[in-house]
Amino acid sequence: MTPFTLHPQLLTDCHLLGRLPHSHLLLHRNAAVPWFILVPETALTNLLDLRASQREGVLADAKRVSDYLTKTLGCPKINVAWLGNLVPQLHVHVIGRRPSDPCWPRPVWGHLELFQPYPPEQVTAIRAELLPP
């Protein structure tokens, strides 16, 4: 069996925060919009093809991130998507949206022109809040 690895494009685009119970947690490098990516360990490419228990686990991880976005960051809207058009590895986007974000109300894809990097201490603080001890 081949060991699990994250797609190189995900590692280029994101900070690897660590492991939630059912998926790897990444933070998109662009802090203009709070954008997380969950990657379950599977060779499947469609979320709906996962075994029910694994799918429910990934969705529980997405709920954990969604709660952080709404309760901690105050995002009134959460976008969840799994596209896989450019990166074939199954990954789930969980994005906090608010009317003041740079591409509201349009989707972030193709409309996020502003780039703001995360300071390292902010990445560390986000990791500490979201990952289990």
Side-chain angles (χ1 to χ4, degrees):
M1 179 184 237
T2 305
F4 178 82
T5 57
L6 291 165
H7 191 281
Q9 189 63 53
L10 293 174
L11 293 172
T12 297
D13 294 345
C14 301
H15 297 282
L16 176 59
L17 297 181
R19 188 88 164 83
L20 289 171
H22 305 281
S23 54
H24 296 269
L25 177 63
L26 295 92
L27 173 65
H28 197 283
R29 291 189 187 279
N30 192 346
V33 174
W35 184 343
F36 293 88
I37 297 175
L38 304 171
V39 185
E41 290 191 11
T42 181
L44 297 173
T45 58
N46 186 341
L47 182 71
L48 300 177
D49 291 338
L50 295 177
R51 291 181 330 275
S53 61
Q54 188 177 18
R55 183 176 59 248
E56 290 167 11
V58 173
L59 292 175
D61 287 350
K63 173 70 169 134
R64 180 185 199 135
V65 173
S66 175
D67 287 348
Y68 170 78
L69 289 166
T70 57
K71 295 174 184 170
T72 303
L73 299 186
C75 297
K77 177 73 176 144
I78 307 301
N79 292 170
V80 178
W82 57 96
L83 304 173
N85 297 346
L86 296 176
V87 174
Q89 183 174 47
L90 175 57
H91 60 286
V92 179
H93 300 267
V94 184
I95 307 165
R97 302 297 308 274
R98 54 175 61 97
S100 62
D101 80 40
C103 39
W104 181 269
R106 296 170 299 176
V108 293
W109 291 275
H111 300 284
L112 188 55
E113 295 174 10
L114 173 68
F115 181 79
Q116 280 177 246
Y118 279 98
E121 60 276 3
Q122 190 175 6
V123 174
T124 300
I126 292 168
R127 178 181 290 118
E129 288 224 31
L130 279 169
L131 294 178

